[in-house]
Amino acid sequence: MDISTICIHGCEKKYDATGAVSVPIFASSTFAHPGVGQSTGFDYSRSQNPTKEHLEHTVTALEGGAETIAFSTGMAAISVFMELFSPGDHIVASYDLYGGTFRLFSHISEKNGITFSYAANLQEISEKITSATKAVFIETPTNPMMNVLDIAAVAQLTQLTQSKKILLIVDNTFLTPIFQRPLSLGADIVLHSGTKYLGGHNDALAGLLTVKEKDLAERLRFISNTTGGCLSPFDSFLIIRGIKTLAVRMERHQETALAVARWLLTQNKIKKVYYIGLQDHPDYAVSCSQASGFGGMISFTVNDELTAVSILENVKLIKYAESLGGTESLITYPLLQTHADLPQEEREARGINACLLRLSVGLEAADDIIQDLKQAIGSVK
Ligand SMILES: *Cc1c(COP(=O)(O)O)cnc(C)c1O
């Protein structure tokens, strides 16, 4: 079955007898038992809810693997897999990460006795793995600098011996299973901020973990049920609804992003454009080898801070706001928004400076997005 069909029919389990083609929102915190020691399969919605289960089955069908667990946000999903680790454990993470992930690692996980090393490329990941390393966590492409890591090559590094493997966790928020399926490349856990492309309409928060092996999925489900950050039935419904059009949206986000990236390249106030779909992107070949598309995220630098601020203050159609992956185009200032909590030297080393902007290309017509950027750039004194 094609992935675009799986988006719509990925969960064929029926939860009611009315013939409803769209899964109902089961707004029930608890479920009555038919008898003592018996269950309908549902007991209490923190443990599982039919609408949430429908979403989880759909995402498993898209990413592959044994099971998916849905959470209230992407950060709640990350917090849950961090509970797999104990004081003294070490994690190697990709250098350029979503700012909130870095904040969780540095402000919460470190306090709990977990140590981190950050690596910019394959070579560094290999050098930083020690006998205490329990996991490698990567984001590819990275946020906001759009570096791409070879997932299969990282997976090889995590296979220490034939029988001993450390976990490889991949944040697949930017490309989604439409373009990239990390489990098929050797990852153990795939993470999504469902808030972004999966939901796709800038109207709901969600997080998802898809797990390759059943045993690990069960451990994570135990932690999820115990800590309680589950996704609500209503938000599960919104993400299911979003996913139905995911394939169509991703194609369009990408087509428009390529047009916008090419136009940005022609502007003399724009210094550098980071879009993985441009052939001169340093990781273009790796992208083509492991992903079937390039997505809708572009970062770019302008010639000075004044230009950056002026673009942010003058865009009209495009909104100056955090987040990404929705119908509305959003422009972000990583320095003051998503990556504000990074120490200054870390930020500068990553290239996150006052001239860097990140654009989530929405589903408006390419010409309208370009016209808006044009008038915003033109308004720079
Ligand atoms: C937004 C985001 C997260 C965090 O997800 P929330 O749903 O905002 O908690 C994690 N990783 C990436 C790449 C993101 O863009």
Side-chain angles (χ1 to χ4, degrees), residues 232-312:
S232 74
F234 184 68
D235 288 331
S236 297
F237 174 82
L238 286 176
I239 308 300
I240 292 165
R241 190 184 205 278
I243 289 174
K244 289 186 189 189
T245 56
L246 181 64
V248 183
R249 287 187 289 107
M250 290 312 291
E251 290 296 338
R252 178 65 179 268
H253 280 300
Q254 160 164 294
E255 187 187 317
T256 309
L258 189 60
V260 172
R262 287 189 174 141
W263 179 82
L264 284 169
L265 284 172
T266 66
Q267 300 303 301
N268 58 14
K269 285 186 177 135
I270 308 297
K271 262 175 64 184
K272 198 158 166 39
V273 179
Y274 303 86
Y275 179 59
I276 61 169
L278 293 173
Q279 283 180 17
D280 62 355
H281 187 286
D283 302 321
Y284 185 75
V286 185
S287 284
C288 293
S289 72
Q290 68 181 7
S292 58
F294 309 109
M297 294 301 298
I298 302 172
S299 291
F300 58 96
T301 50
V302 296
N303 50 5
D304 55 28
E305 183 172 351
L306 188 70
T307 305
V309 170
S310 188
I311 291 174
L312 293 167

Side-chain angles (χ1 to χ4, degrees), residues 294-365:
F294 309 109
M297 294 301 298
I298 302 172
S299 291
F300 58 96
T301 50
V302 296
N303 50 5
D304 55 28
E305 183 172 351
L306 188 70
T307 305
V309 170
S310 188
I311 291 174
L312 293 167
E313 289 181 345
N314 286 290
V315 283
K316 294 192 169 72
L317 189 71
I318 302 167
K319 299 295 177 253
Y320 168 34
E322 268 173 87
S323 203
L324 62 104
T327 39
E328 293 81 9
S329 290
L330 302 179
I331 194 160
T332 307
Y333 204 19
L335 176 76
L336 298 184
Q337 295 179 294
T338 51
H339 293 70
D341 281 353
L342 239 62
Q344 192 186 351
E345 71 225 49
E346 292 280 344
R347 259 198 327 254
E348 275 166 16
R350 285 165 165 78
I352 302 167
N353 56 40
C355 297
L356 180 78
L357 297 172
R358 189 190 76 186
L359 178 65
S360 169
V361 176
L363 294 180
E364 304 91 344

Side-chain angles (χ1 to χ4, degrees), residues 90 92-94 117-131 133 135-136 138 149-150 153-160 166:
H90 173 249
V92 178
S94 56
S117 299
Y118 293 92
N121 53 43
L122 213 54
Q123 173 79 21
E124 288 185 23
I125 292 174
S126 145
E127 285 165 7
K128 290 185 173 166
I129 292 175
T130 70
S131 57
T133 307
V136 173
I138 63 171
L149 274 166
D150 181 334
V154 179
Q156 271 187 355
L157 295 177
T158 59
Q159 188 74 50
L160 302 180
I166 54 178

Side-chain angles (χ1 to χ4, degrees), residues 155-232:
Q156 271 187 355
L157 295 177
T158 59
Q159 188 74 50
L160 302 180
T161 64
Q162 210 154 32
S163 57
K164 188 159 186 269
K165 174 150 190 343
I166 54 178
L167 291 178
L168 173 58
I169 304 156
V170 179
D171 186 332
N172 202 28
T173 299
F174 272 30
L175 289 187
T176 82
I178 301 303
F179 292 144
Q180 176 169 279
R181 300 176 72 207
L183 297 181
S184 71
L185 298 165
D188 301 290
I189 302 176
V190 168
L191 160 75
H192 278 283
S193 169
T195 311
K196 315 295 168 55
Y197 288 106
L198 301 189
H201 292 74
N202 291 326
D203 58 6
L205 300 170
L208 296 133
L209 294 178
T210 305
V211 189
K212 191 178 207 162
E213 303 287 346
K214 193 94 194 150
D215 288 357
L216 182 59
E218 270 166 26
R219 279 169 69 202
L220 287 165
R221 207 171 272 289
F222 175 83
I223 300 168
S224 161
N225 183 39
T226 305
T227 54
C230 59
L231 191 62
S232 74

